[in-house]
């Protein structure tokens, strides 16, 4: 599995911790920044990571900002992307199993690094359960198609 990971300045330290965690778990990843506490705009990072996932260059993405919310909102604007903010293990699992989210976002100002690692671990182990959820996810994709304005 190939993971694209990114963060804004508020998520910078947690991103580095998660990168180390992925390395320990031998999960392939690419770090799209940011690389310091210098302020950056979270939509810029969300766009780069979400587009790379949407193009199929990565299987999944992890985005971290202060709350996880801005990253999720921005990533969800990229066609084909389903991103969810996960701050508990059940949501991390369900975002994969029920919603087939390719991107998980977290808020570094909300959760600690040990919980973040647990969430990533649960999320990595969870796959979409094709079945009752499939038509619902398809309907999400239809909303996106119907509302596409260029
Ligand atoms: C800072 O831009 C802050 O808004 C960001 O880290 C995040 O919390 C956005 O949702």
């Amino acid at each position: 599995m190939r993971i694209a990971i990114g963060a804004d300045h508020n998520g910078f330290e947690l991103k580095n911790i998660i990168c180390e965690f992925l390395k320990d778990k031998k999960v392939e990843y690419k770090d799209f920044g940011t690389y310091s506490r210098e302020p950056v705009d979270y939509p810029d990072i969300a766009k780069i990571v979400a587009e790379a996932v949407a193009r199929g260059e990565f299987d999944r993405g992890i985005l971290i900002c202060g709350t996880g919310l801005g990253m999720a909102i921005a990533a969800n604007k990229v066609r084909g992307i389903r991103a969810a903010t996960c701050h508990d293990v059940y949501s991390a699992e369900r975002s994969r199993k029920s919603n087939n989210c390719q991107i998980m976002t977290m808020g570094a100002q909300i959760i600690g690094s040990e919980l973040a690692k647990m969430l990533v671990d649960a999320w990595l182990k969870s796959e979409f359960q094709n079945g009752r959820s499939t038509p619902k996810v398809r309907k999400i994709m239809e909303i996106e198609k119907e509302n596409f304005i260029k």
Side-chain angles (χ1 to χ4, degrees):
M1 187 184 314
R2 274 173 58 76
I3 306 283
I5 184 164
D8 74 353
H9 51 288
N10 286 329
F12 160 69
E13 280 103 355
L14 182 56
K15 170 178 65 66
N16 292 347
I17 290 168
I18 297 300
C19 285
E20 280 305 310
F21 180 70
L22 294 173
K23 205 183 290 172
D24 287 349
K25 291 205 145 281
K26 304 205 176 354
V27 176
E28 208 184 320
Y29 70 90
K30 183 170 174 185
D31 180 357
F32 284 88
T34 187
Y35 305 109
S36 76
R37 285 287 305 175
E38 192 69 32
V40 292
D41 294 337
Y42 63 82
D44 295 337
I45 304 287
K47 184 175 189 286
I48 294 168
V49 167
E51 286 181 347
V53 173
R55 281 196 299 268
E57 293 164 15
F58 296 87
D59 302 297
R60 300 201 211 163
I62 298 172
L63 286 166
I64 305 168
C65 60
T67 60
L69 300 176
M71 285 295 198
I73 293 165
N76 275 312
K77 297 295 177 195
V78 174
R79 284 188 94 188
I81 290 298
R82 289 173 298 281
T85 306
C86 300
H87 288 148
D88 65 273
V89 170
Y90 186 69
S91 301
E93 282 182 10
R94 293 323 305 180
S95 76
R96 290 290 313 142
K97 292 182 177 176
S98 301
N99 311 114
N100 202 7
C101 286
Q102 311 97 324
I103 295 187
M104 172 199 202
T105 79
M106 295 183 285
Q109 292 166 338
I110 297 176
I111 55 167
S113 57
E114 290 310 308
L115 176 55
K117 285 189 240 175
M118 282 178 74
L119 298 175
V120 170
D121 195 43
W123 179 79
L124 287 172
K125 288 176 183 154
S126 302
E127 287 300 341
F128 182 55
Q129 290 171 340
N130 223 332
R132 277 184 309 164
S133 295
T134 305
K136 296 162 198 165
V137 173
R138 202 169 291 137
K139 282 187 178 185
I140 295 173
M141 292 159 79
E142 278 163 18
I143 295 171
E144 189 175 56
K145 244 187 267 167
E146 286 160 16
N147 289 276
F148 181 62
I149 301 160
K150 185 90 189 176

